[in-house]
Each structure stands twice: as C-alpha cells, then as structure tokens.
Amino acid sequence: MKSESHPQPLLQTLPERFVDLTAPPAWRRLAFVSDLHLGPEAPVTTAGFLRWLRGEALAADALFILGDLFEAWVGDDLLDAAPPDAHHQVCAALAAYAASGHAVRVMHGNRDFLLQPGFARRCDAPLLPDPCVLVLAGQRILLTHGDALCISDAPYLQWRALCRSADWQARFLAQPLQARIEQAAAMRAQSRAAQSRMDTWSDADPAEAARWLQAANSTWMIHGHTHRPREHWDHGQLRQVLSDWDLDAPAGGAAHRAQALWLHAGGTTLAVERRPAA
C-alpha cells in the first residue's frame, strides 16, 4: 500500500537576541540598498553603483547595504590578489565615500557571508549583525538580509547554518585562493541550475517576519534577498523589501533595475521614498 506523504513542517529561525543600533543625531538622511551582486560578472551594474556612490548617494548621511553587495566573496585576502578587479574598485569607492564624511554599514548576505574585519577596515564600513534594530527618530526598524525568513526552503537553511559555522569557514578559508574561487563558481552554477527548476523563488514567510518583529519590539522591517521589492502591511506591521540591482539585464525587462530606499528623519517623524538609482 502506498504510504501517505506529509509536508515537512516549516522551520523557525527566531534569533536569540536583537542588537540595537542607535543612529547618531547627525544621521538625518539614510539610504538602504541590497542584492547588488557586484563583481567582474556584472560590469554594468558595478559601474552603475560606482556612479551612484559618486553622485546621488552623497546626499545620504549613512548608507546601509543589507547583504549581497558582491556576487561572491571568498575571503578578505581577495583584496591582496593581483591584478585588481571589480572587487577592488568597489572597496576603494566605499573607502572614498566614507572618507568624504558618509557612514557606511554592511550586512552579510547569502553570497558574501565571508566578509570579515579585513574588508571592514579597508572600506571603513563596519559589519552589521544580522538581524539588528536601527533606532531612528523614535522608531525601531528591524534590519535583516532576509534569507533566514525563507523558512519553507529547508535545504537552504541547513546550508546556511553549515556555512555560517566557524569550523566550516575555517576549513574553507584554509584552501588556496584560486581553489576557493573555483569552488564558489561551482556552487553558484549549482544554485542557478536549482533555481531554473523551481516554479517560484522561496519568499520570506509573513508569519515568521511577524514573530521577529514582535520579539524585537518593532513594527517596521527592512530586508532584501527575495528580489521582490514592495511594501507589505499586515496588522499594523510594515515590511519593506528592497530592490535587487541588475543593470546587466536587458533594458526594459523586469529584471533591469537599481533602486534605493531612502529615509528622511525630521524631528520625531520619518519620510520614506523609493528612488531609481540608475
């Protein structure tokens, strides 16, 4: 007799704690981006981000990059490799941006989870814990990359737990740089093949997001990862999903976009707007 199959229960990923980040009074204009996936594989997007840093982004007192700044990051010693490539250009541009008086904060994503203190020092861009709570103009805004909210994708969450462990990272980083680069390329190819067989992308689970917000004493979340930019309102809670960046995609297509979310603090109020960045 054929046995019945039962769906696997959804995993839960509620963090043990939420770190508060209190914005200095000088932070009145903040820009948020995520999922830029910069690197040699995305020359047009990378060039667009560098132009944005030298232009419109100068209006921000603080820039928050909520994960996947790079398509891949195999270790901070990548910055010591020669010849310089897009990774070096982006890091130099972030350092120049910070040197001109703008704060930069970077969160790990699912592609660049190996960003370490060496990167942060070179770019003058401290790494944010994921998640954390930004306290700004009387609001508690929960910031996260968003991948841990995709609780229906059990295989990915298992992989996430493995690759974020100190033992796995120590073993991976002990390999020669070229071996790591080749291994990362193979993993990205496997990921693209798996995505092509999926009917839908894994999305953030609304109930899990609500649990996080309640635990963080917040009603406002900003995250990326899903490449589905929009605002979600649910029982007084706001979840804003950031845009991915892909200027290498054909112009006019749905994937061709680059967008930043801006917060403008005035007294005890916050104004929000989305702007095309390129």
Side-chain angles (χ1 to χ4, degrees), residues 111 150 152-153 191 195-196 198-204 225-228:
R111 297 299 185 95
C150 300
S152 63
D153 191 350
S191 176
Q195 290 165 4
S196 68
M198 293 172 61
D199 293 332
T200 59
W201 286 78
S202 178
D203 203 356
H225 180 64
T226 65
H227 300 193
R228 291 167 171 162

Side-chain angles (χ1 to χ4, degrees), residues 15-34:
E16 294 182 0
R17 61 191 295 261
F18 295 86
V19 177
D20 280 9
L21 170 66
T22 301
W27 287 8
R28 311 307 294 169
R29 294 161 297 181
L30 283 68
F32 296 81
V33 297
S34 72

Side-chain angles (χ1 to χ4, degrees), residues 26-27 58 60-62 95-104 124:
W27 287 8
L58 294 174
D61 299 309
Y97 182 79
S100 66
H102 307 272
V104 183
D124 195 7

Side-chain angles (χ1 to χ4, degrees), residues 214-225:
Q214 183 177 16
N217 189 27
S218 174
T219 59
W220 187 350
M221 176 186 290
I222 301 175
H223 72 83
H225 180 64

Side-chain angles (χ1 to χ4, degrees), residues 52 56 243 245 257-262 273-278:
W52 184 72
E56 185 181 8
S243 167
W245 287 40
R257 61 188 173 201
Q259 189 182 84
L261 179 72
W262 288 77
E273 65 172 326
R274 290 183 185 266
R275 294 187 201 164

